[in-house]
Amino acid sequence: LFRSTNYDPIEFSSAARPCAVPVVVRGGAFGLDPAALTKPVIDAMAGHNWGGTARFTATPNAAGSPCYFSVAVEVNGAAHLTGAALCKGATAAAQPSRWFAGEIALTMALCRYDQAVSEVAGRVTAKNAQDPAFASLIAKATQSLTTTLTINRMKEEPANGG
């Protein structure tokens, strides 16, 4: 997890309420190209941002007021693409999973204009874009991008607290 020192989750929460937050999906998985992956990604993001309900969209001009925040999503992309590169529009050809068969690799960045203010990466084994495990990865990544939690506080603690 990367978070810029000049990012305040309250800023995103306030900015995202009246506008449509653009989501750009790159890469590919499950035999789908970015255009086909966009809807399941946006559907999984809905309602999972911190501090309010952002309207994530693939068509910001048609969805209402433009937003100076956006989300860049790379699915099974090149290992060297960072959130900073994604926010600046970098692309790379979809690659087979970097991990093992059936595993999906994700890099997601929250961008303020073309600067990454938050970045998260993860992976999951999933069968298709409707697999609950894939949706859960996207939902958790969305929350991690926008939350006030630090990386240490995001670690799961044992149920008994010890």
Side-chain angles (χ1 to χ4, degrees):
L1 173 72
F2 158 80
R3 181 155 295 117
S4 172
T5 57
N6 68 1
Y7 169 65
D8 181 349
I10 294 171
E11 178 191 8
F12 174 77
S13 175
S14 296
R17 281 189 189 121
C19 68
V21 180
V23 177
V24 177
V25 177
R26 298 180 182 99
F30 316 115
L32 302 174
D33 65 9
L37 272 177
T38 298
K39 181 175 177 6
V41 167
I42 290 174
D43 287 350
M45 292 173 72
H48 292 285
N49 64 288
W50 180 87
T53 305
R55 289 181 298 127
F56 297 106
T57 182
T59 55
N61 293 338
S65 303
C67 195
Y68 62 90
F69 279 102
S70 63
V71 178
V73 180
E74 181 76 21
V75 181
N76 285 348
H80 67 276
L81 282 180
T82 64
L86 291 173
C87 288
K88 291 187 183 299
T91 60
Q95 299 180 353
S97 175
R98 302 186 291 259
W99 308 101
F100 61 85
E103 193 165 51
I104 303 303
L106 173 79
T107 302
M108 189 182 280
L110 179 62
C111 313
R112 184 191 298 125
Y113 300 107
D114 68 348
Q115 301 294 310
V117 295
S118 185
E119 173 186 345
V120 66
R123 59 185 192 265
V124 70
T125 301
K127 293 182 170 99
N128 56 51
Q130 291 73 40
D131 191 316
F134 181 69
S136 178
L137 174 67
I138 300 297
K140 288 177 182 177
T142 302
Q143 185 176 32
S144 293
L145 278 181
T146 60
T147 190
T148 58
L149 297 178
T150 64
I151 193 163
N152 291 331
R153 290 175 55 198
M154 287 190 298
K155 292 180 182 176
E156 291 187 26
E157 297 295 329
N160 65 3

